[in-house]
Amino acid sequence: MATERPSFELAKGINGLDKIILRESRNRSAEVYLYGGHVTSWKNENGEELLHLSSKAVFKAPKPIRGGIPLCFPQFSNFGTLEQHGFARNRIWEVDASPPPLPTNSSSNAYVDLILRPSEDDLKAWPHNFEFRMRVDLGSEGELTLTSRIRNTNSDGKPFTFTFAYHTYFSVSDISEVRVEGLETLDYLDNLKNRERFTEQGDAITFESETDKIYLSTPTEIAILDHEKKRTFVVRKDGLADAVVWNPWDKRSKTISDLGDEDYKHMLCVEAAAIERPITLKPGEEWKGRLELSAVPSSYSSGQLDPKKVLE
Ligand code: TA6
């Protein structure tokens, strides 16, 4: 009996690190480093890079890779006692040869399943056994889907609690020309103002200075409109109530050693996250958080956020 094999290639990336390459017909591709379970590239049919990777990214432990899609787990930012954004983003993941079935509506055969389990050292910092499975799927329409499944495998009967984010760096042509739709009128915590709570006004979000906000209880769809490129990124998410919007702008960029001084002009982080209400799992329980990214022509005007229609 012929068994269907996922079509991924294992290759050597920067500094000899292992990476997975997913290829879809029509030239689309994605790359995932086992270091961090980190998606570093997502390209469309014209070979254009859709994610921003820092011009000064360091591909060497313990520094997480700057750009692409870092995974923040088991802690977002400094919401806890662990290292900033948790440890999943600078651990070596493995290919999961026999993952539990994951229902998918994608007809794609370009996907890979990865898994992270805690090391002895991780258990000292965070005394919980877990299995963190992530599927990266490059769909037949070029959409990139990341599905995380986190299971409590503690044998001591103890629950654990975590926060989480897909810290996605989108590539944009000019940050001053970018608009985010879908977060208007929502409450947010402003990281630049001691996480004080504010309410966003009615307009789409635009950028003219450093921005670092955690939007709370956000809708499942958010759009990032890149005016100059005439491209819209559509972010769809499940299981992830919050959304972080970050751009460091010029001054702050200069304090980040692995970010080029000019990178901020061409990047925007919009991060599907679970922060305000941390996730608690009892032993045997599993949480699922799904992120789907599409890049479509900006053929609709402001205020008509219906990305499904755009895709049709
Ligand atoms: O998600 C936004 C944020 O938490 C910012 O506060 C900012 O510092 C950024 O992440 C980058 O964090 P990192 O640890 O990757 O330098």
Side-chain angles (χ1 to χ4, degrees):
M1 195 181 83
T3 46
E4 204 191 327
R5 286 175 63 85
S7 59
F8 66 79
E9 296 165 35
L10 188 55
K12 288 289 175 199
I14 295 170
N15 289 340
L17 293 173
D18 290 324
K19 69 176 180 183
I20 305 287
I21 306 176
L22 303 176
R23 292 187 204 282
E24 203 270 325
S25 56
R26 286 176 284 175
N27 211 25
R28 295 163 176 144
S29 66
E31 293 190 1
V32 193
Y33 272 70
L34 293 187
Y35 177 58
H38 195 129
V39 175
T40 54
S41 171
W42 172 39
K43 287 185 179 164
N44 68 10
E45 60 280 11
N46 303 320
E48 289 172 306
E49 183 55 68
L50 302 171
L51 298 176
H52 181 79
L53 187 64
S54 165
S55 54
K56 289 163 86 178
V58 177
F59 285 73
K60 199 163 189 269
K63 193 106 187 136
I65 299 167
R66 172 78 58 196
I69 312 182
L71 297 169
C72 305
F73 171 83
Q75 175 184 300
F76 176 77
S77 183
N78 60 355
F79 282 79
T81 55
L82 298 177
E83 62 196 271
Q84 156 93 352
H85 288 326
F87 51 76
R89 64 177 181 162
N90 60 6
R91 296 296 186 267
I92 303 283
W93 291 54
E94 289 171 20
V95 173
D96 190 2
S98 52
L102 179 63
T104 167
N105 50 14
S106 163
S107 53
S108 136
N109 198 29
Y111 65 88
V112 65
D113 286 285
L114 302 182
I115 185 162
L116 179 72
R117 294 190 181 91
S119 67
E120 290 297 314
D121 278 351
D122 296 337
L123 287 168
K124 281 181 202 148
W126 200 64
H128 301 294
N129 272 298
F130 65 85
E131 288 174 344
F132 183 168
R133 292 191 161 79
M134 183 179 64
R135 175 170 295 185
V136 183
D137 181 316
L138 183 63
S140 51
E141 298 301 317
E143 72 278 19
L144 184 71
T145 305
L146 275 64
T147 309
S148 289
R149 292 180 284 177
I150 296 172
R151 176 176 290 277
N152 181 334
T153 55
N154 272 338
S155 53
D156 59 6
K158 291 204 177 118
F160 64 65
T161 298
F162 63 90
T163 47
F164 181 94
Y166 291 109
H167 198 304
T168 310
Y169 289 68
F170 291 94
S171 171
V172 297
S173 48
D174 175 357
I175 185 67
S176 309
E177 299 287 323
V178 168
R179 197 165 78 218
V180 175
E181 292 188 0
L183 303 174
E184 307 83 11
T185 73
L186 298 181
D187 279 8
Y188 63 87
L189 308 180
D190 194 337
N191 265 324
L192 304 178
K193 294 182 180 150
N194 297 320
R195 300 208 172 121
E196 212 183 309
R197 193 173 179 125
F198 297 91
T199 303
E200 193 59 70
Q201 299 309 305
D203 297 330
I205 294 153
T206 53
F207 301 89
E208 48 189 29
S209 59
E210 184 180 357
T211 304
D212 192 351
K213 297 176 177 176
I214 303 170
Y215 288 87
L216 307 171
S217 304
T218 59
T220 55
E221 294 185 357
I222 300 168
I224 303 160
L225 289 83
D226 184 339
H227 195 63
E228 206 172 296
K229 270 267 173 214
K230 297 188 169 51
R231 173 193 289 147
T232 297
F233 291 109
V234 182
V235 177
R236 295 198 178 84
K237 57 189 182 61
D238 278 318
L240 297 153
D242 307 318
V244 182
V245 177
W246 181 58
N247 184 290
W249 221 254
D250 54 351
K251 264 209 214 105
R252 170 104 172 84
S253 291
K254 295 201 175 87
T255 69
I256 304 175
S257 63
D258 57 347
L259 189 66
D261 287 357
E262 304 285 302
D263 280 31
Y264 78 94
K265 294 180 179 165
H266 306 294
M267 59 163 267
L268 176 64
C269 288
V270 175
E271 312 163 29
I275 301 168
E276 190 192 27
R277 289 193 197 91
I279 313 294
T280 297
L281 295 176
K282 293 194 195 109
E285 283 184 339
E286 184 176 271
W287 168 86
K288 191 153 96 177
R290 184 174 180 277
L291 173 70
E292 183 189 306
L293 307 177
S294 329
V296 297
S298 295
S299 55
Y300 67 103
S301 58
S302 175
Q304 291 178 306
L305 179 57
D306 189 352
K308 279 228 176 71
K309 278 205 185 105
V310 178
L311 290 173
E312 274 163 13

